[in-house]
């Protein structure tokens, strides 16, 4: 078996998972100014998976893979791309845009990149931890008319095909799909590596191509309008009850759950 | 005091005295020819932030959950150290051809600060190991570099630095371990005290006397565990730094091949002192991390802990205390980074600036940690909370790598020498 693959990994720069998020003063979005950002954790898993596939092929001497990472957004997303390069991706593509990019817009941008790069496999996080849309991978599969294997917790690569174990509501499901295909990652797929210090330095020298949305000829105009963003209601303090009767009374008449 | 100063000055190597002399004008004129862009430049914003972010992630995931356990059980986490070495922590400022990361001292300081937020004691050991690797890299022969450094940068083997003796602490130039050349070997006799990693390490960088009294009679040797005549004292029971063993290293007719002499005979004290300039920055950086983590812990605690029906954070005393702690940490950090940048630039005044940075940062950071413990109230005194570990670990930073009294000697000598 000989495989020569090109794997495209989509990454998104999001507010760091450890940051306590706040709604902005206007109530239109989450506050992103002066807040720590990092790579979407599911995209880190996606990057790791691509690198593991590449290393697996090289180790078994059954083929080669090129890992290309792509991100859309303002100049700052290059930080995220550099992180992926430091982990072991071969090159990066930055699609610059300062506009709001909704999942359909990102899927369209990715479709244009796929048409340019002709990858055998596109890996995305199952969702980004900022808006939790869980749509981009599926939309991209639809736009390309490619098979999709979402919520992957295990991936085995075969000849022009892959076997994927998916995390579904009822348990796990194993499917086989031909390549090219779309893969979206779930939490248990792997544990992303740390980028080593020498690799962080080397990442500076890896190629990072810059494109604009206009150059790709993609319409990224939002189709959805956000009306309002609000914080969940503050938790009410508890009350001490005197007796069981008292409790039953409150459950019946105040909480109205009995 | 003046007699003590004279002794120290006489024993200081010529290079150190020259450096001290030129430092005088710097201190007196309040002018700084140091390129401060190296401290706060654009590069820090990008590349060094990435190094910092990696080190902090490693500290958060690999060190912090285990720090108290390692402290309690006096466990030396060799496996975690090797995991860190895979990322480059085993030879941060060692050259790349032997597996080092080839970073600057400023990069290294930033990394040590971030790592020690997770476990100060373990990071301090990493810093000592790095200093030994740097000594072999900088002053060793090509054969020594190729033989020892690949296994040290990978932390397949660990290294220890041996200068202090039971009778020669601050007066390191008066050390009495001897090395006598006999044919193709040197025969070493004497003992080294308070050796971090002693007994666990595989490679010992040992200072011993080959010539007459004073610093110029001292030479530097690489001694391997297993060499005939090398043995170790009992494991010391310490207040802190419990994740690394400390033992005496004893040499009784210890035979060391002549090719294990580092540099030339008589160069040892100069190597030792150059190592210590950087060692002081490293230890100061470890104090910065301990103080940073203690401030973070205090901020968390005062937001949650309520007294008089309000969080402690609502009291002005708490607010002012936190502001003082942050201010003090920042001043320490700036001094450490400036001195680290001077090391990178080979600045002639580096000795006194490293000494001032170490003095200020280790004293101030210890106070910050103590203040954090105070803000924790009774909880701070419990071992369930982390602050006590930082307090005990950082306490020794005021004693080792030259006591803070020696730092004052080095600094004032620079001011007073004509």
């Amino acid at each position: 078996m000989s495989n020569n693959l090109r794997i495209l990994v989509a990454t998104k720069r999001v507010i760091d998972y450890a940051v306590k998020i706040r709604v902005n003063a206007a109530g239109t979005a989450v506050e992103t100014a002066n807040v720590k950002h990092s790579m979407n954790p599911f995209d880190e898993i996606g990057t790791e998976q691509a690198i593991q596939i590449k290393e697996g092929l090289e180790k078994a001497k059954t083929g080669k893979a090129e890992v290309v990472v792509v991100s859309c957004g303002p100049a700052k997303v290059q930080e995220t791309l550099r992180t992926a390069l430091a982990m072991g991706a071969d090159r990066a593509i930055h699609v610059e845009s300062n506009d709001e990019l909704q999942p359909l817009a990102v899927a369209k941008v990715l479709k244009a990149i796929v048409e340019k790069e002709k990858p055998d496999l596109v890996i995305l996080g199952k969702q980004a931890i900022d808006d939790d849309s869980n749509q981009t991978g599926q939309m991209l599969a639809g736009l390309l008319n490619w098979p999709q294997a979402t919520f992957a917790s295990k991936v085995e690569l075969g000849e022009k095909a892959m076997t994927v174990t998916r995390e579904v509501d009822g348990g796990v499901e194993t499917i086989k799909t031909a390549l090219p295909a779309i893969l979206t990652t779930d939490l248990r797929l792997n544990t992303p590596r740390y980028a080593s210090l020498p690799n962080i330095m080397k990442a500076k020298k890896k190629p990072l191509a810059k494109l604009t949305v206009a150059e790709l000829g993609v319409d990224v105009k939002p189709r959805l309008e956000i009306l309002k963003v609000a914080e969940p209601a503050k938790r009410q303090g508890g009350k001490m009850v005197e007796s069981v009767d008292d409790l039953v009374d409150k459950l019946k008449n105040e909480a109205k759950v009995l | 005091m003046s007699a003590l100063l004279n002794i120290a000055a006489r024993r200081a190597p010529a290079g150190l005295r020259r450096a001290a002399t030129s430092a005088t004008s710097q201190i007196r004129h309040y002018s700084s020819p140091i390129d401060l862009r190296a401290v706060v430049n654009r590069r820090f914003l990008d590349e060094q932030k990435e190094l910092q972010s990696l080190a902090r992630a490693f500290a958060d995931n690999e060190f912090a959950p285990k720090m108290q356990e390692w402290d309690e059980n006096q466990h030396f986490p060799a496996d975690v150290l090797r995991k860190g070495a895979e990322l480059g922590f085993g030879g941060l400022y060692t050259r790349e051809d032997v597996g080092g990361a080839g970073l600057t001292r400023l990069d290294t300081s930033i990394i040590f600060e971030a790592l020690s937020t997770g476990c100060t004691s373990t990071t301090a050991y990493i810093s000592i190991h790095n200093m030994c690797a740097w000594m072999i890299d900088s002053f060793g022969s090509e054969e020594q570099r190729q033989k020892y450094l690949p296994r040290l940068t990978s932390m397949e083997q660990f290294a220890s630095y041996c200068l202090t003796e039971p009778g020669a602490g601050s007066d390191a130039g008066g050390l009495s371990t001897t090395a006598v050349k006999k044919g193709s070997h040197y025969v070493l006799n004497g003992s080294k005290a308070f050796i971090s990693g002693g007994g666990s390490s595989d490679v010992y960088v040992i200072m011993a006397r080959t010539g007459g009294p004073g610093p110029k009679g001292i030479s530097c040797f690489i001694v391997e565990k297993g060499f005939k005549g090398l043995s170790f004292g009992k494991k010391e029971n310490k207040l802190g730094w419990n994740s690394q063993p400390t033992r005496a290293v004893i040499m009784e007719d210890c035979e060391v091949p002549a090719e294990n002499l580092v540099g030339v005979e008589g160069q040892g004290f100069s190597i030792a002192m150059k190592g210590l300039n950087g060692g002081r920055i490293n230890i100061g950086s470890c104090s910065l991390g301990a103080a940073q983590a203690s401030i973070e812990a205090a901020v968390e605690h005062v937001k949650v802990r309520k007294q008089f029906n309000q969080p402690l954070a609502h009291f002005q005393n708490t607010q002012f205390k936190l502001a003082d702690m942050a201010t003090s940490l920042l001043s320490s950090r700036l001094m450490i980074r400036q001195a680290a940048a001077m090391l990178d630039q080979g600045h002639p005044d580096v000795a006194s600036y490293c000494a001032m940075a170490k003095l200020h940062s280790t004293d101030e950071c210890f106070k910050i940690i103590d203040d954090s413990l105070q803000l924790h109230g009774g909880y701070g005194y419990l071992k369930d909370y982390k602050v006590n570990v930082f307090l005990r670990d950082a306490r020794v930073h005021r004693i080792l790598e030259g006591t803070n009294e020696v730092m004052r000697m080095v600094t004032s000598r620079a001011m007073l020498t004509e």
Side-chain angles (χ1 to χ4, degrees):
Chain A
M1 184 182 88
S2 174
N3 258 324
N4 276 314
L5 293 178
R6 177 172 290 160
I7 306 171
L8 184 71
V9 183
T11 63
K12 185 177 185 183
R13 179 175 179 268
V14 297
I15 294 179
D16 188 83
Y17 73 93
V19 170
K20 273 186 197 151
I21 59 164
R22 287 193 181 81
V23 173
N24 68 7
T28 53
V30 166
E31 184 59 67
T32 54
N34 300 318
V35 171
K36 187 186 174 198
H37 283 67
S38 51
M39 196 196 300
N40 178 35
F42 292 108
D43 301 342
E44 267 190 300
I45 293 172
T47 307
E48 174 67 31
Q49 193 61 33
I51 298 164
Q52 282 187 13
I53 290 172
K54 176 190 163 95
E55 289 174 345
L57 289 171
E58 280 167 7
K59 201 175 169 194
K61 296 195 166 77
T62 52
K64 286 196 168 107
E66 185 192 30
V67 178
V68 183
V69 286
V70 58
S71 191
C72 319
K76 287 248 178 191
V77 306
Q78 287 185 18
E79 285 172 18
T80 305
L81 291 171
R82 290 288 176 205
T83 305
L85 291 172
M87 285 173 73
D90 297 296
R91 60 187 172 90
I93 301 169
H94 172 207
V95 181
E96 187 153 18
S97 168
N98 292 312
D99 299 324
E100 183 202 346
L101 296 172
Q102 293 183 349
L104 183 61
V106 177
K108 284 179 183 170
V109 168
L110 291 176
K111 176 174 181 267
I113 298 293
V114 166
E115 281 161 358
K116 273 172 77 86
E117 294 287 337
K118 306 202 172 9
D120 303 276
L121 177 63
V122 182
I123 306 180
L124 303 91
K126 70 167 180 178
Q127 68 198 67
I129 61 165
D130 49 4
D131 53 23
D132 286 323
S133 294
N134 191 345
Q135 294 174 353
T136 310
Q138 294 87 331
M139 285 174 167
L140 178 60
L143 290 172
L144 288 166
N145 201 21
W146 280 15
Q148 55 179 307
T150 50
F151 317 125
S153 64
K154 194 178 171 196
V155 178
E156 275 176 280
L157 213 63
E159 186 91 35
K160 300 275 177 217
M162 63 178 175
T163 306
V164 177
T165 305
R166 304 178 60 228
E167 302 211 355
V168 293
D169 287 347
V172 291
E173 178 186 70
T174 305
I175 60 167
K176 192 174 175 186
T177 167
L179 295 181
I182 306 293
L183 181 79
T184 76
T185 62
D186 214 322
L187 194 64
R188 277 159 286 271
L189 182 58
N190 59 48
T191 307
R193 70 193 63 195
Y194 298 106
S196 74
L197 296 169
N199 286 344
I200 289 176
M201 311 306 274
K202 278 180 208 152
K204 309 280 163 217
K205 296 180 188 110
K206 288 185 177 176
L208 192 156
K210 274 182 251 182
L211 297 169
T212 61
V213 169
E215 280 166 359
L216 292 172
V218 178
D219 170 19
V220 294
K221 204 168 92 246
R223 302 297 202 268
L224 300 173
E225 188 191 345
I226 293 173
L227 300 178
K228 192 180 155 198
V229 176
E231 282 188 28
K234 285 240 160 31
R235 188 173 165 271
Q236 302 290 313
K239 277 183 204 158
M240 298 300 284
V241 290
E242 298 290 328
S243 65
V244 175
D245 286 347
D246 199 11
L247 174 66
V248 171
D249 176 64
K250 282 195 186 319
L251 288 173
K252 257 188 187 157
N253 300 317
E254 270 185 44
K256 298 194 196 308
V257 292
L258 288 181
Chain B
M1 184 64 190
S2 65
L4 186 64
L5 268 176
N6 283 336
I7 291 163
R10 199 171 60 242
R11 289 210 166 131
L16 185 65
R17 256 181 286 150
R18 269 200 305 279
T21 310
S22 54
T24 315
S25 59
Q26 308 309 335
I27 295 167
R28 204 173 280 155
H29 296 140
Y30 301 100
S31 69
S32 173
I34 301 131
D35 188 356
L36 270 171
R37 280 173 304 173
V39 185
V40 287
N41 69 358
R42 176 73 198 157
R43 189 174 154 259
F44 177 75
L45 293 176
D46 303 333
E47 197 168 296
Q48 290 173 330
K49 259 190 184 168
E50 275 183 60
L51 305 178
Q52 183 182 43
S53 141
L54 166 71
R56 182 65 201 238
F58 193 82
D60 287 348
N61 298 331
E62 313 293 335
F63 286 176
K66 296 280 184 181
M67 174 178 83
Q68 286 158 290
E69 187 187 317
W70 294 341
D71 172 66
E72 189 71 30
N73 302 330
Q74 303 194 358
H75 174 71
F76 180 63
D79 51 337
V80 180
L81 290 172
R82 290 191 179 117
K83 196 170 174 184
E86 284 175 21
L87 306 182
F89 299 147
L92 288 164
Y93 46 102
T94 304
R95 280 175 275 171
E96 285 145 309
D97 66 314
V98 284
L103 299 177
T104 67
R105 303 307 296 261
L106 182 56
D107 297 335
T108 301
S109 166
I110 288 160
I111 288 169
F112 283 152
E113 177 182 343
L115 283 178
S116 53
T117 60
C119 181
T120 306
S121 160
T122 305
T123 308
Y125 174 73
I126 295 176
S127 85
I128 294 163
H129 176 92
N130 267 273
M131 179 169 76
C132 293
W134 171 83
M135 282 180 173
I136 297 174
D137 192 27
S138 300
F139 304 103
S141 65
E142 194 50 36
E143 290 72 28
Q144 289 167 345
R145 290 184 70 245
Q146 297 300 338
K147 182 175 178 187
Y148 289 105
L149 291 178
R151 48 178 115 150
L152 290 182
T153 52
S154 65
M155 283 189 145
E156 177 196 335
Q157 294 197 337
F158 296 107
S160 289
Y161 173 72
C162 309
L163 173 66
T164 297
E165 296 182 355
S170 292
D171 182 14
L175 62 83
S176 63
T177 294
T178 58
V180 180
K181 193 162 186 189
K182 280 193 181 148
S184 63
H185 283 75
Y186 282 90
V187 177
L188 271 61
N189 274 292
S191 65
K192 295 291 177 179
F194 307 124
I195 303 307
S196 297
S200 295
S201 287
D202 310 277
V203 174
Y204 296 83
V205 179
I206 297 181
M207 303 300 159
R209 190 170 299 285
T210 48
K216 284 186 176 163
I218 296 170
S219 302
C220 175
F221 296 92
I222 304 170
V223 180
E224 290 178 42
K225 189 181 189 172
F227 277 7
K228 193 169 151 257
L230 184 73
S231 63
F232 306 100
K234 74 161 179 68
K235 187 170 155 181
E236 307 286 0
N237 222 344
K238 309 189 295 287
L239 178 70
W241 271 31
N242 284 321
S243 71
Q244 41 166 313
T246 301
R247 288 188 181 85
V249 172
I250 301 150
M251 289 145 285
E252 292 164 302
D253 291 331
C254 177
E255 288 181 18
V256 180
E259 66 259 26
N260 279 25
L261 171 72
V262 179
V264 294
E265 277 194 23
Q267 201 190 345
F269 198 74
S270 159
I271 295 174
M273 287 302 120
K274 280 184 181 146
L276 281 180
N277 280 337
R280 285 162 190 164
I281 296 306
N282 292 348
I283 287 300
S285 308
C286 291
S287 278
L288 296 177
Q292 171 73 33
S294 299
I295 290 179
E296 288 171 18
V299 166
E300 281 304 306
H301 184 76
V302 299
K303 281 199 228 165
V304 173
R305 171 74 174 162
K306 284 185 181 170
Q307 285 293 282
F308 305 102
N309 297 319
Q310 50 183 322
L312 299 185
H314 287 186
F315 294 102
Q316 195 178 51
N317 175 65
T318 307
Q319 296 161 356
F320 279 21
K321 183 57 82 181
L322 286 174
D324 286 346
M325 289 158 74
T327 306
S328 169
L329 176 60
L330 181 62
S331 71
S332 300
R333 184 179 282 142
L334 290 173
M335 284 182 79
I336 288 287
R337 290 194 182 158
Q338 185 189 31
M342 289 171 78
L343 263 182
D344 286 327
Q345 291 160 16
H347 198 283
D349 302 333
V350 73
S352 56
Y353 277 80
C354 287
M356 286 187 282
K358 193 262 185 186
L359 167 67
H360 184 81
S361 63
T362 57
D363 276 355
E364 288 301 307
C365 289
F366 181 78
K367 191 162 176 304
I368 292 168
I369 301 165
D370 190 36
D371 285 340
S372 168
L373 197 149
Q374 188 71 18
L375 284 172
H376 278 77
Y379 296 105
Y381 205 62
L382 299 183
K383 285 202 170 178
D384 303 276
Y385 285 71
K386 285 189 169 184
V387 191
N388 81 91
V389 188
F390 289 121
L391 184 93
R392 288 183 287 109
D393 284 346
R395 180 62 184 86
V396 79
H397 299 180
R398 299 163 67 196
I399 299 171
L400 47 72
E401 240 46 15
T403 63
N404 283 4
E405 289 68 33
V406 166
M407 298 306 105
R408 292 179 172 95
M409 282 163 58
V410 173
T411 307
S412 58
R413 191 190 298 142
M415 300 165 74
L416 299 171
T417 307
E418 289 300 317

